[in-house]
Amino acid sequence: MNIKEIAGILKSHDKFEILTHNYPDGDCIGSAYALALALKAIGKKARVIVTDRQRKFEYIFSLLEDEEFDAEYIVSVDVADEKLLGPVNKPKYSGRIDLCIDHHKSNVIDAAVKYVDSDSAAAGEIIYELIPELGAKIDRNIADCLYTAISTDTGCFRYTNTTSKTLRIAAGLLDIGCNSEYINKEMFETKSKKRIELEREILDKMIFCAGDKCAIIYTTKKMTEGLTDDETEGIASIPRQIEGVKMGVTIREKDEDFKVSVRTNDGVDACEFCGKFGGGGHAAAAGCSIKGDLGSVIDAIVAEAERTL
Amino acid sequence: MNIKEIAGILKSHDKFEILTHNYPDGDCIGSAYALALALKAIGKKARVIVTDRQRKFEYIFSLLEDEEFDAEYIVSVDVADEKLLGPVNKPKYSGRIDLCIDHHKSNVIDAAVKYVDSDSAAAGEIIYELIPELGAKIDRNIADCLYTAISTDTGCFRYTNTTSKTLRIAAGLLDIGCNSEYINKEMFETKSKKRIELEREILDKMIFCAGDKCAIIYTTKKMTEGLTDDETEGIASIPRQIEGVKMGVTIREKDEDFKVSVRTNDGVDACEFCGKFGGGGHAAAAGCSIKGDLGSVIDAIVAEAERTL
């Protein structure tokens, strides 16, 4: 089905519930609210189901008033798997999704209608093309939602998923007058004090090995106590970005074991490395879980890094 | 003069020397090399004068072979003031610039012909429009130069100078096949080990005051010993990006005094603050110099911040 046909289906319904994934990111929230606002603009009723309302997206949440109505059509946006609906919403919505809109290649949602475009850097790119087909206009509010969606999923146009189409869509949103200045500051230039303190502690304890070709950072449960997922996001990029480092390793203490994320440059095989510990993934990004105490986990990683690099 | 007329002048000459500013950044290097490559492509001779060849731009330097010839036309790119040519080139080229191409509103170069467009986020935007007027094609190499220019001067499209035109030009460069993946990694995702250690030390010593509304960081001469300007760049953004901080202050020990940079959010007047210490600047970004020892400088800043915030 093409985007015109998807728009046709949406136009034939009236009361929408739009599902997001657990711990929603900017793309999920921005895309879902953009779609809801567009549906309302053409006279429909729409609500967005959000399990975890992060304060940083308040400028988006505030755009849509809560309304009581019985939804008759259920749309998921940016959700690759029903499991990701979370413990409350998975049982509630399982098997009930009418339309799934997503950009994850790995999408396994079982929905009556699916529109998955993995060439899109963000679900927001799909919604950007869908809205005019609905007969709605992308106004400033919708542009703020879509700019949030597209900028966050591309690391503000820095990640390799950024295409010329991504940049042209963003240009269109700037022309509409989206508040990119505010959004960029909130999404990319703001860190909580706790996050800054975590970074300081991580840098204090960073370990280099294999002739500085491997950098290892770790967080203990104590270090991340009271921090939200959002506040610990992206720390895995710290070791990888150091000049000369071919393998950046992040170790996180969990309840039962240590989760290890490995990011590599210059052809070093992260998947093979993690395979030694029963894990796997991609050539440049892989993971594994290791049981034991922190010291022995670090020793095992260091020993394997010395062998590999 | 419009861009067509500038192109006409360039076409009427044959042997070019292109000047860059001291400690050139990505926009200066990328724009100058893009112009030189385009001039060579239409059969001219061109060289770029670079005082400080930073290793991270080697992929650009390698695009242009050195050639011996007597230049007869001198162009400056991204240079706002002859002083910025540096101690060696200022006396050599003073009063000799034939054409000045720049995007700084503050440009005070005295050149025979000037083309200053302060609506452009980067000098690279001007060169992007100039090259087709020369009758040259923006090939992949030139696209790499221009992508470097435009992405670095906009913080990878994050700064407020980014316009829809900026994003559309970047889209065009991606379509040509510029290696944005490599450039983004080199320019935005790579930090030297020394830089990481400096950040760690800065975070260790960060001071909060005025109810956490002011964050102060400092570097001593010892902390930055052996680091290049490039490696210490951007540290002023560390205090400002902390949630709730309205005033981020960076103190740098210099030979004779301490240089203080103040960045503010939410309408706090940085210029007024720095005025108290005999400095000045803009409402959101200002600076001053304070004599004394580090302890007394910090005390003075803290006391003034407590009064102001």
Side-chain angles (χ1 to χ4, degrees), chain B residues 166-194:
Chain B
T166 313
L167 292 166
R168 284 199 182 91
I169 290 175
L173 298 173
L174 257 61
D175 282 338
I176 290 164
C178 78
N179 197 345
S180 55
E181 182 174 344
Y182 173 84
I183 297 167
N184 288 348
K185 181 158 173 36
E186 287 299 306
M187 297 298 127
F188 307 110
E189 305 278 338
T190 303
K191 292 178 178 180
S192 71
K193 207 180 155 189
K194 275 185 187 165

Side-chain angles (χ1 to χ4, degrees), chain A residues 194 220-227:
Chain A
K194 276 185 185 166
T220 60
K221 284 198 284 184
K222 190 155 171 282
M223 283 164 72
T224 54
E225 210 174 357
L227 272 80

Side-chain angles (χ1 to χ4, degrees), chain A residues 202-247:
Chain A
I202 284 172
L203 293 180
D204 270 346
K205 294 171 173 167
M206 184 156 54
I207 297 155
F208 286 92
C209 65
D212 287 357
K213 288 201 285 288
C214 176
I216 302 170
I217 63 169
Y218 62 84
T219 59
T220 60
K221 284 198 284 184
K222 190 155 171 282
M223 283 164 72
T224 54
E225 210 174 357
L227 272 80
T228 62
D229 278 19
D230 195 44
E231 284 172 324
T232 60
E233 202 194 300
I235 58 160
S237 75
I238 295 174
R240 188 187 38 172
Q241 68 185 354
I242 301 165
E243 211 178 349
V245 166
K246 296 190 187 312
M247 185 186 294

